[in-house]
Amino acid sequence: MLQIDWPGYVLAVLEALERAGYEAWAVGGCVRDALLGRVPHDWDVCTLATPPQMRRALEGFRLVDTGEKHGTLTAVAGGEPVEITTFRADGAYTDHRRPDGVSFVRSLREDLARRDFTVNAMACHPARGLADYFGGREDLRWGLIRCVGEADERFNEDGLRLLRALRFAARFRFAIEPETAEALRRNRGLLRFIARERVLSELRGMLLAPGAAEILAAYPEVIAAAVPQLRTEGDAWRRALAAVEKAPADFSVRLALLTDSRNAADLLSGLKTDCETRDDVLALTRRRGDTPPRDAPGARRLLFALGEERARKLCGLWRAEGREGADEAAEQIEAALARQDCHTLAQLQIGGRQLTAMGLRGPAVGETLRELLFAVMDGRIENEESALLDAAKRLSEKK
Ligand code: ATP
Ligand code: MG
């Protein structure tokens, strides 16, 4: 029998549906993850009940409409959401992405047949055990991503599945079964139908996965079809992949490794990333060629220029690339932070008010504060009020 650790709230949902006479199963990612011995991050249920029937059967639960038209309601059980979807088959696909309509069906098997990969097309029940019509368990054992049914057809229905295949393969370090792999390469042109946001989110999942470098190396033409701004060949690409493998699991760092300061802006607008990722990647690619700081003043200047988070990311990038002095730079940065070394104007023990009291006006105030900060960061003056005031006087006399 299967060793599955069923959360009580999932059992409660299954029980309530079945008590009302509707077959119900846990399905998809949660079954896959449980069989892999991983803790599922969420549990999905499929059932014979239609949404109005679910509402009656689940009276005691809070229900949220997450897509009633498509047969989906979310029950909040014990504070946890469980997505419940009526057994369904997808209608025709004309846009290579979304079915034109869905139809409810009477059997679990038909519902499982519309799912993307065999490892995602299993259902499980606490009493009836595993429902595995497409060899998902065997593929899980061998570590294979394989389309349910005919791969060409399945990719043509929904081009997003190409990227999902790569993402799951990277996440579980699985291989892609040969026929599925060939169909993937053959159908890469479909990726132009995929919305940028979806490409971005799949790319993020893929890049952060443990097997990212392997998958990017094995399917460069598919990656290039999804993200035309990436140059997925040549020595630079191979070096980038070697670095991705060693990089921290941070999207900005890994994305920065795949591009350079000339092409980063183009890549970022092509992908429509959020502003934070964009600023991260631009800063990282711009600074990548700098010499890693070897001493405390250098570390403080880098912290001043980039801030704590980004300075750490840059060190992570340098280390992943095997840059000389990268480890030392990271140590210097951490030591400066641990000592709470001054590296921001806010930490300076003097402010604009004191300088104005000394008679400084306008831009001279900001300029002087900056000069003082640099003098402190370089260790030329103490970060202490009277020392700073003296230095400020000397500076203003020179002006
Ligand atoms: P994750 O851990 O990434 O959430 P998951 O397998 O739960 O993995 P979801 O995107 O949450 O993936 O989808 C839930 C299930 O729905 C999948 O396991 C699969 O059975 C089915 N599914 C999702 N997207 C597709 C798709 N594009 N085509 C076919 N089936 C899909
Ligand atoms: Mg999921």
Side-chain angles (χ1 to χ4, degrees):
M1 209 42 206
L2 295 165
Q3 287 297 312
I4 287 187
D5 220 349
W6 290 92
Y9 65 91
V10 178
L11 293 177
V13 168
L14 294 176
E15 229 172 77
L17 288 164
E18 299 213 321
R19 217 179 313 118
Y22 306 108
E23 183 184 335
W25 300 75
V27 70
C30 58
V31 178
R32 175 199 67 215
D33 290 350
L35 291 175
L36 282 172
R38 301 176 174 224
V39 179
H41 57 83
D42 48 32
W43 290 76
D44 297 331
V45 164
C46 63
T47 178
L48 192 57
T50 60
Q53 292 169 333
M54 290 177 204
R55 287 188 191 281
R56 281 194 294 278
L58 297 168
E59 255 179 350
F61 297 83
R62 191 158 76 80
L63 293 173
V64 183
D65 179 357
T66 32
E68 184 152 353
K69 278 206 308 288
H70 303 108
T72 307
L73 289 182
T74 299
V76 185
E80 303 284 344
V82 180
E83 211 174 272
I84 311 170
T85 305
T86 313
F87 292 156
R88 63 169 221 227
D90 295 334
Y93 289 74
T94 43
D95 65 353
H96 305 286
R97 175 62 195 101
R98 230 169 274 119
D100 302 337
V102 299
S103 50
F104 296 152
V105 295
R106 303 294 300 170
S107 78
L108 173 67
R109 190 192 166 110
E110 283 174 272
D111 179 87
L112 294 177
R114 75 165 163 97
R115 293 172 185 270
D116 48 8
F117 308 113
T118 59
V119 295
N120 287 348
M122 289 181 280
C124 192
H125 186 277
R128 296 188 295 272
L130 191 70
D132 175 19
Y133 299 105
F134 306 103
R137 196 166 194 194
E138 194 65 8
D139 285 341
L140 212 49
R141 194 168 290 136
W142 293 100
L144 286 177
I145 299 296
R146 179 199 310 267
C147 285
V148 173
E150 228 267 298
D152 276 313
E153 206 175 291
R154 303 314 308 282
F155 286 137
N156 269 283
E157 284 170 1
D158 177 1
L160 185 67
R161 290 175 187 153
L162 283 100
L163 296 180
R164 286 175 60 86
L166 299 184
R167 171 166 64 84
F168 286 121
R171 170 155 20 136
F172 301 119
R173 305 200 87 130
F174 280 11
I176 299 178
E177 173 276 326
E179 276 187 28
T180 300
E182 267 175 50
L184 231 160
R185 295 195 170 97
R186 205 162 38 233
N187 291 294
R188 62 183 182 274
L190 296 169
L191 288 164
R192 69 174 177 277
F193 298 108
I194 306 304
R196 295 285 90 189
E197 307 76 66
R198 305 306 300 263
V199 171
L200 176 64
S201 100
E202 294 297 328
L203 182 70
R204 180 191 303 274
M206 208 184 297
L207 264 189
L208 292 179
E214 254 167 80
I215 286 298
L216 294 173
Y219 296 91
E221 66 281 64
V222 182
I223 300 296
V227 191
Q229 297 85 0
L230 285 174
R231 282 189 51 83
T232 60
E233 54 195 13
D235 286 344
W237 178 249
R238 276 188 289 279
R239 274 196 307 275
L241 296 187
V244 163
E245 178 112 37
K246 299 190 198 102
D250 178 281
F251 185 52
S252 305
V253 172
R254 292 187 169 198
L255 199 57
L257 283 167
L258 297 183
T259 183
D260 56 38
S261 54
R262 246 180 327 129
N263 298 306
D266 199 26
L267 171 66
L268 294 160
S269 41
L271 283 173
K272 284 203 190 153
T273 58
D274 57 280
C275 295
E276 199 182 321
T277 305
R278 182 186 177 83
D279 294 348
D280 267 358
V281 173
L282 290 176
L284 291 171
T285 50
R286 201 171 48 236
R287 291 266 171 177
R288 183 181 189 171
D290 290 5
T291 307
R294 292 174 178 277
D295 52 17
R300 296 192 280 255
R301 280 173 176 252
L302 189 65
L303 284 167
F304 169 73
L306 293 186
E308 199 174 317
E309 280 313 306
R310 254 176 222 155
R312 285 199 170 111
K313 286 181 192 207
L314 182 59
C315 288
L317 184 147
W318 280 333
R319 290 171 103 157
E321 287 187 309
R323 276 289 293 278
E324 194 171 337
D327 290 340
E328 206 179 327
E331 281 161 29
Q332 289 287 354
I333 297 268
E334 292 311 322
L337 288 168
R339 286 188 307 261
Q340 302 192 302
D341 282 2
C342 174
H343 64 273
T344 59
L345 287 171
Q347 287 168 293
L348 207 57
Q349 294 301 312
I350 188 177
R353 207 165 30 84
Q354 283 117 307
L355 298 187
T356 323
M358 279 173 48
L360 288 183
R361 290 289 175 269
V365 176
E367 270 164 37
T368 307
L369 283 174
R370 242 179 103 93
E371 282 176 60
L372 292 173
L373 176 61
F374 274 81
V376 169
M377 290 197 296
D378 291 349
R380 285 181 276 121
I381 31 176
E382 286 293 310
N383 186 20
E384 187 258 309
E385 189 171 355
S386 62
L388 288 163
L389 280 172
D390 285 348
K393 273 191 207 112
R394 283 198 304 278
L395 282 170
S396 68
E397 277 155 18
K398 263 195 267 165
K399 284 198 173 154

